[in-house]
Amino acid sequence: MLNRRDFLQFTGLSGVALGAGLVPFQSIAASQSNMNFVFVFNGGGWDPTRVFANCFDQRVVAMEASADVSQIGDFKWVDHQDRPSVSAYFDRFSSNSVIFNGLLVPSVSHGNCRRLMMTGTSNDGASDWAAIIAGESTFSLALPQLVLGGPSYPGIHGTSVTRAGTSGQLDALLSGEVLEWSDLHTVRPPSRAEDRMDTYMMRRAAAAIEKANMPKAKILYEAYEDSLVRGVELKDLREVINWSAAGDLGAQGNLAGQLLSMGISRTIMMNHGGSGWDSHTNNDQTQSQSWESLFSGLLDMADRFSSLPGRNGGSLLDETTFVVMSEMGRTPALNGNDGKDHWPYTSAMVMGPGLKGGRVVGATDEYYYGKTIDVDSGDLWRDGEDLTVGTLGATLMASADIDPELYLPGVAPVRGLLR
């Protein structure tokens, strides 16, 4: 009778040697087709003029009097003494970073903007960027995408997406502790019996696939078999990884680093700040604190990733693209409560090896509306196209060696950013 580890070896899957720190999938060369992605979502709608958008020459925009512009090459950002981590971050990573300014999200409703920002459409069935990249992976992963926090729209890639849960649900599921949460008295089977049950279910799934005479049935059976294989592999990791991650970026980054370095996941979705960016009152203080906290966390995560091994002999940081976004921007002017309300133009930042860095793509005009760009070069062009959430998504997919046309017909990536 095969136990779980024998079964994994028998089926050719890469198990993780407990306690040995071995990295699965080392034979896979680092390339665009298997680049890792970490998405950091900042809920509530941030004010890009506090970091990303240099709008000092736009009279309608309420900029901070004590802020200034810093620059390295062609890369510019808004600097402030209360946000030292921002400049510390760009001093190190501006050459690997791209800022998208004047990014159009055609809504000012939180829920709709989140979906648009993550999928490029209001269609309920659309998959988000992280799910697509995970689902299109060309190698086997136990958890292609793990959602630690933030929005998630799996769409047709639901079998690739797993939520860790806010109360340790994933950890309890793997350990069997979840049985104790039931109102019904349930006893977990002994390990040997569980091994036999796993093997039995694998054989039943394989038999069902072989006998399936309908294409849809075969697809469903294959998805079920895939989930069984992943579950078996993850059971062997329950004593190696602490699956619980607190809400701060430090704890989320620690878990994300483990999963990506060990070859368990390809994309991680995390949240920073809850919905605390929604600054209808006291905009300057609220935004400043949130920006400093975000970039301090990004610095810590980058340091952590630089100390972890990647799949190609370098560090995990060399093989990971960070995508930092919020669902919308804030109005150019302050309201009567010194706050800023919802605005359909925002910014996003991408850092890592997936794109040509050291650039700011897009801008806003004198009324704080987005300017058009030439999608071939990424330069501003009066007769160009709007820089939209679809443009961002298409660029991310193209950087992951995925044809955007499959998911966003007619939407072109910013080709000048692609390596």
Side-chain angles (χ1 to χ4, degrees):
M1 182 66 64
L2 296 177
N3 60 26
R4 282 192 296 272
R5 181 159 304 285
D6 291 335
F7 183 83
L8 290 175
Q9 294 172 347
F10 177 74
T11 55
L13 295 175
S14 295
V16 178
L18 298 180
L22 298 180
V23 182
F25 315 117
Q26 286 180 323
S27 61
I28 301 173
S31 69
Q32 300 301 98
S33 62
N34 56 54
M35 189 73 63
N36 301 312
F37 282 78
V38 171
F39 289 78
V40 181
F41 196 86
N42 300 269
W46 58 19
D47 184 355
T49 67
R50 278 13 187 190
V51 171
F52 295 140
N54 168 24
C55 299
F56 287 100
D57 59 347
Q58 299 173 24
R59 290 180 296 174
V60 301
V61 180
M63 299 291 289
E64 295 164 294
S66 53
D68 205 349
V69 178
S70 289
Q71 182 173 357
I72 298 178
D74 295 329
F75 193 90
K76 296 181 180 181
W77 70 94
V78 178
D79 195 2
H80 194 280
Q81 62 181 4
D82 292 339
R83 302 187 287 273
S85 294
V86 173
S87 288
Y89 185 88
F90 287 135
D91 284 343
R92 290 176 57 186
F93 299 115
S94 62
S95 62
N96 295 327
S97 300
V98 177
I99 292 175
F100 295 82
N101 279 333
L103 191 63
L104 175 60
V105 188
S107 177
V108 288
S109 167
H110 286 294
N112 198 34
C113 283
R114 290 189 192 103
R115 184 177 292 276
L116 285 164
M117 194 70 193
M118 295 300 299
T119 70
T121 177
S122 296
N123 183 353
D124 288 344
S127 301
D128 61 43
W129 319 130
I132 292 171
I133 294 170
E136 292 283 353
S137 296
T138 57
F139 48 95
S140 177
L141 296 168
L143 294 174
Q145 183 194 0
L146 185 64
V147 180
L148 301 178
S152 176
Y153 308 98
I156 62 173
H157 298 92
T159 58
S160 298
V161 181
T162 302
R163 272 195 177 272
T166 57
S167 303
Q169 291 98 320
L170 179 58
D171 191 33
L173 184 64
L174 295 174
S175 68
E177 182 185 338
V178 71
L179 296 175
E180 300 174 8
W181 298 1
S182 174
D183 292 334
L184 300 175
H185 178 67
T186 308
V187 178
R188 180 182 174 183
S191 296
R192 184 172 177 80
E194 190 174 345
D195 291 341
R196 291 175 176 175
M197 292 166 62
D198 288 337
T199 304
Y200 173 76
M201 293 305 299
M202 290 289 188
R203 289 173 175 168
R204 288 296 303 272
I209 293 171
E210 185 177 353
K211 294 179 180 178
N213 52 17
M214 297 288 291
K216 181 65 174 179
K218 184 175 182 179
I219 291 173
L220 292 174
Y221 284 132
E222 287 175 340
Y224 179 65
E225 181 187 48
D226 191 33
S227 68
L228 288 174
V229 171
R230 292 174 184 170
V232 167
E233 186 174 18
L234 290 172
K235 288 178 185 180
D236 279 343
L237 294 168
R238 61 190 176 209
E239 302 297 333
V240 178
I241 296 175
N242 178 7
W243 295 96
S244 300
D248 63 283
L249 281 186
Q252 294 180 76
N254 182 47
L255 177 55
Q258 283 184 285
L259 297 175
L260 296 175
S261 182
M262 296 174 73
I264 297 169
S265 299
R266 184 186 186 189
T267 66
I268 305 290
M269 183 73 194
M270 57 181 67
N271 176 71
H272 171 261
S275 297
W277 295 80
D278 201 12
S279 51
H280 291 282
T281 61
N282 197 16
N283 181 80
D284 290 359
Q285 182 178 352
T286 299
Q287 291 286 328
S288 193
Q289 291 174 347
S290 294
W291 283 110
E292 173 60 20
S293 174
L294 169 63
F295 275 86
S296 176
L298 291 175
L299 276 170
D300 288 344
M301 205 182 318
D303 286 338
R304 188 182 307 276
F305 278 40
S306 68
S307 67
L308 292 170
R311 291 190 297 267
N312 196 41
S315 75
L316 182 62
L317 188 63
D318 299 329
E319 301 176 2
T320 303
T321 294
F322 293 84
V323 184
V324 188
M325 59 175 62
S326 183
E327 70 261 40
M328 64 178 76
R330 314 303 299 184
T331 50
L334 294 168
N335 60 28
N337 295 315
D338 290 327
K340 290 188 175 184
D341 301 315
H342 299 175
W343 190 250
Y345 290 93
T346 186
S347 299
M349 181 183 77
V350 180
M351 190 281 283
L355 299 177
K356 297 176 182 177
R359 292 192 60 183
V360 177
V361 175
T364 53
D365 63 17
E366 59 182 319
Y367 302 107
Y368 201 50
Y369 288 89
K371 292 184 177 181
T372 54
I373 66 166
D374 173 16
V375 293
D376 284 326
S377 66
D379 296 333
L380 296 175
W381 184 32
R382 183 176 179 179
D383 297 323
E385 300 178 22
D386 289 329
L387 179 59
T388 69
V389 289
T391 312
L392 173 64
T395 305
L396 293 175
M397 282 188 279
S399 75
D401 202 26
I402 300 169
D403 183 3
E405 190 70 18
L406 298 173
Y407 298 96
L408 295 171
V411 180
V414 182
R415 301 181 185 90
L417 293 177
L418 301 177
R419 290 189 180 277

